[in-house]
Amino acid sequence: MALVPYEETRGMGLQKFHQPLATFSFANHTIQIRQDWRQLGVAAVVWDAAVVLSTYLEMGAVELRGCSAVELGAGTGLVGIVAALLVLGGHNIFVCMWC
């Protein structure tokens, strides 16, 4: 488990992690992800790195069609969801242990 010391009332940047719902638009879909920092910790929020990597994939910087991919990252699975939406238009298998 990662250690992220901070005070919840300080700093504007971390407040978004305490919102119960994060909404994104990728691959012509709206993706809503429940977040629960207090119950599940750092793995239960959408981190900026996931949004950046999802944007990178959506830009076509990496050719995903015809490829198999396994997302072994931690967190809410946003990157895996976006990759699944981008590859073969729905003929994908995406498994998330937290879903």
Side-chain angles (χ1 to χ4, degrees):
M1 175 184 269
L3 176 62
V4 183
Y6 82 99
E7 292 180 34
E8 188 174 327
T9 57
R10 291 178 124 205
M12 301 304 275
L14 296 175
Q15 290 179 350
K16 65 182 176 183
F17 298 134
H18 293 282
Q19 299 299 320
L21 194 63
T23 303
F24 304 94
S25 180
F26 286 107
N28 297 318
H29 289 80
T30 299
I31 303 166
Q32 293 187 323
I33 297 180
R34 274 189 316 129
Q35 302 187 118
D36 192 346
W37 178 290
R38 285 191 182 89
Q39 287 292 117
L40 301 173
V42 297
V45 295
V46 178
W47 291 94
D48 292 344
V51 177
V52 170
L53 182 53
S54 295
T55 301
Y56 182 76
L57 293 176
E58 185 177 46
M59 288 173 22
V62 176
E63 179 57 51
L64 296 175
R65 295 191 192 286
C67 295
S68 297
V70 176
E71 181 200 329
L72 298 177
T76 60
L78 177 64
V79 175
I81 293 167
V82 171
L85 290 171
L86 291 170
V87 179
L88 300 176
H91 301 297
N92 307 293
I93 298 172
F94 180 77
V95 177
C96 179
M97 296 302 293
W98 295 102
C99 296

